[in-house]
Amino acid sequence: MSQLSTKSHTEAIMGLAGAKSGDRGSPNPCEACAVRGLSVCSALEPEDLPRLDRIVSHIQVSPGQLVFLEGDPADHLFVLTDGCIKLYKMLIDGRRQITGFLFPSDFLGLAMRERYAFSAEAVAVSALCRFPKRQLEQLLVEIPALERRLLGVASNELAAAQDQMLLLGRKTAQEKLGSFLHSLLRRTAPRSKAQDRIHLPMSRADIADYLGLTVETVSRCFTRLRKDGVVDFTTPQDVLIRDLGMLSDLSGVSDEY
Amino acid sequence: MSQLSTKSHTEAIMGLAGAKSGDRGSPNPCEACAVRGLSVCSALEPEDLPRLDRIVSHIQVSPGQLVFLEGDPADHLFVLTDGCIKLYKMLIDGRRQITGFLFPSDFLGLAMRERYAFSAEAVAVSALCRFPKRQLEQLLVEIPALERRLLGVASNELAAAQDQMLLLGRKTAQEKLGSFLHSLLRRTAPRSKAQDRIHLPMSRADIADYLGLTVETVSRCFTRLRKDGVVDFTTPQDVLIRDLGMLSDLSGVSDEY
DNA sequence: GCATGCCATTGATGTACATCAAGGCGGGCG
DNA sequence: CGCCCGCCTTGATGTACATCAATGGCATGC
């Protein structure tokens, strides 16, 4: 694990260095942001946007690159504007638990503590807005609506975390896969053209580590779902939902999820 | 499950009715509160305390009684002042996942959403301060320090939830039990006389539902830990930690936990 | 074009934990 | 006091998923 850490950490620093930090010259990027209106930033009045612009910088990461490592000083907060990021924790022997996947407009680094409680690594080529924590905290004081908004984001994350605990502790492998596809559909379909298609940017190993399973079990359950006519795969990364009802049943949704 | 819900819900209402709601007559209970200084309330200046007093009411619940049910309108927030509360979610077929145990000074109802995302039920005789959400939100606007504090609480809960995901998804039964005892020790020992003793107010079934196991496995792992000299039981509810080192190793602690 | 290596899939086997079942113990109540 | 009833423990058996192992597809690079 240590060789992974150090190596990846270096990559991350290179990644950060390669970013167009500060974005001096581009006038007010936040106003034109793709996720403006969806993300935390929507809590701001248009006239407050320049204050965000002043402290934001933009970074790019490619698959496998780290945004930060568990235990790093938590100096920055992020908003994902494009791509996909995975968050994970590890045990000393290398067992890994992915605690979440982030998609555009998602907030990163909410854990407002001394150090990051998990690592963040790019799944796909991704773009993030980066805010220095100190300066953003100053903004929070001046703009209560922003703080309110963060509290709302935290609430949602907490609720999602509890759903995930239920999944990890009490659902079968089939149900886990069903729930996973179902929640992915709800999160990403609204912003895609086809309402019944899901793109899976992450590997089977990532899915396994998210659901507390192994690669083999994930694969077997997927083929089972396919043979049962619930889903179909155009490629291993592209899922077609053929029977949403069965998928919902499987995921154990009632009101939640 | 439905009969449980309705029955328990009635109990909860009775419990709430039985509480000394409003506490008219007692002048400023918050000032004398047992958990004042530990809990969210510590974010308040002494001169602001009466404003809390004005909106707080106090309720008592006995073991098995509900504080609220998943899906209920989230009209109140709580601070636990005494006892122990369990939070849980259920699947339609009755499988249950306990998402957390609360101890005195813990905050309850952080998920600031329309409806509660989980149920809260007393494990031991418990006392709570109850705040109407609307009125507390008004206070949040007027006292930014309070909102800041809530965000901090949310961060901590989020971090704890991620630790729990790692536990549920990737740890063995032994490690789960070890982690459980270890974190309980860290949470409750500071406030108890004996630094190496843990009282378990919850049943084996509750522990099982918290760790994603069965009662039998919990019991077997406990006896294993006892035979290995890691812990000892004076009663099934009272644990003596005999080898903290082994316990730490087992729980997979590095910095975290 | 072919070699290389990663990723997904599938099969054979193993095992950690669940399930089923049977006492033992202690507390509450008649 | 003694019966009853939950709760905990322990044993026997079952199973869902992990592990081990082999193969094929696809992209990358020489």
Side-chain angles (χ1 to χ4, degrees), chain A residues 68-253:
Chain A
F68 53 76
L69 195 61
E70 178 179 355
D72 282 355
D75 296 332
H76 295 92
L77 304 177
F78 306 82
V79 171
L80 182 62
T81 54
D82 193 33
C84 179
I85 301 279
K86 65 186 173 197
L87 314 180
Y88 61 88
K89 294 176 72 85
M90 291 188 74
L91 295 170
I92 28 330
D93 62 2
R95 280 174 289 174
R96 187 180 66 154
Q97 179 65 40
I98 292 184
T99 57
F101 292 105
L102 299 186
F103 294 99
S105 87
D106 284 345
F107 195 83
L108 171 58
L110 237 185
M112 292 277 227
R113 317 165 100 215
E114 286 285 300
R115 299 176 170 279
Y116 295 113
F118 48 82
S119 305
E121 181 182 324
V123 168
V125 174
S126 302
L128 304 99
C129 298
R130 186 181 66 174
F131 306 94
K133 189 181 162 193
R134 290 257 154 249
Q135 292 172 267
L136 191 67
E137 275 173 349
Q138 185 53 35
L139 264 192
L140 288 189
V141 173
E142 296 163 16
I143 310 173
L146 196 54
E147 184 144 41
R148 178 68 43 92
R149 185 60 190 264
L150 278 188
L151 200 49
V153 171
S155 292
N156 290 336
E157 295 221 2
L158 221 36
Q162 285 156 355
D163 284 340
Q164 191 67 3
M165 288 188 224
L166 178 61
L167 178 148
L168 289 169
R170 289 302 180 211
K171 290 187 182 178
T172 66
Q174 285 279 333
E175 291 169 338
K176 286 177 177 181
L177 260 300
S179 302
F180 174 65
L181 291 178
H182 198 264
S183 72
L184 223 48
L185 188 68
R186 293 178 35 131
R187 279 178 78 187
T188 65
R191 261 172 265 158
S192 92
K193 43 238 115 177
Q195 297 297 310
D196 55 354
R197 283 175 193 280
I198 309 174
H199 179 71
L200 304 176
M202 70 292 288
S203 69
R204 297 293 190 261
D206 285 344
I207 298 174
D209 281 346
Y210 181 57
L211 300 177
L213 300 170
T214 59
V215 191
E216 293 92 334
T217 301
V218 168
S219 186
R220 275 186 255 271
C221 287
F222 270 153
T223 54
R224 164 60 75 102
L225 287 175
R226 180 168 48 74
K227 285 180 180 168
D228 290 352
V230 181
V231 301
D232 210 346
F233 288 86
T234 60
T235 82
Q237 278 69 48
D238 291 283
V239 192
L240 168 66
I241 306 300
R242 301 185 59 186
D243 190 334
L244 185 58
M246 283 181 71
L247 196 66
S248 300
D249 291 349
L250 214 57
S251 61
V253 280

Side-chain angles (χ1 to χ4, degrees), chain B residues 128-160:
Chain B
L128 303 100
C129 298
R130 185 181 65 176
F131 306 94
K133 190 180 162 192
R134 289 258 153 249
Q135 292 172 265
L136 192 68
E137 275 173 349
Q138 184 54 34
L139 264 191
L140 288 189
V141 174
E142 295 163 17
I143 310 174
L146 196 53
E147 185 144 40
R148 178 68 43 91
R149 184 61 189 263
L150 278 187
L151 199 49
V153 171
S155 291
N156 290 336
E157 296 223 1
L158 220 37

Side-chain angles (χ1 to χ4, degrees), chain B residues 8-126:
Chain B
S8 301
H9 198 231
T10 308
E11 289 176 347
I13 290 168
M14 292 168 60
L16 293 172
K20 29 179 179 164
S21 274
D23 239 303
R24 309 276 169 239
S26 96
N28 33 16
C30 285
E31 198 175 341
C33 178
V35 299
R36 160 107 179 103
L38 294 169
S39 186
V40 187
C41 328
S42 66
L44 291 176
E45 299 300 322
E47 62 263 30
D48 284 330
L49 274 184
R51 309 172 70 178
L52 261 196
D53 282 334
R54 229 168 285 139
I55 65 172
V56 74
S57 57
H58 299 271
I59 67 171
Q60 292 243 356
V61 282
S62 11
Q65 269 193 314
L66 281 172
V67 179
F68 54 76
L69 196 62
E70 179 179 355
D72 282 354
D75 295 332
H76 295 92
L77 303 178
F78 305 83
V79 171
L80 183 60
T81 54
D82 193 34
C84 179
I85 301 279
K86 64 187 174 196
L87 315 179
Y88 61 88
K89 295 178 70 87
M90 290 189 75
L91 295 171
I92 25 338
D93 63 3
R95 280 174 290 173
R96 187 180 66 153
Q97 179 65 40
I98 292 184
T99 57
F101 292 105
L102 300 186
F103 294 99
S105 87
D106 284 344
F107 195 82
L108 171 59
L110 237 184
M112 294 278 228
R113 315 165 102 214
E114 285 285 297
R115 299 178 169 277
Y116 295 114
F118 48 83
S119 304
E121 181 182 323
V123 168
V125 173
S126 302

Side-chain angles (χ1 to χ4, degrees), chain B residues 173 214 216-217 220:
Chain B
T214 60
E216 294 92 334
T217 300
R220 274 186 256 269

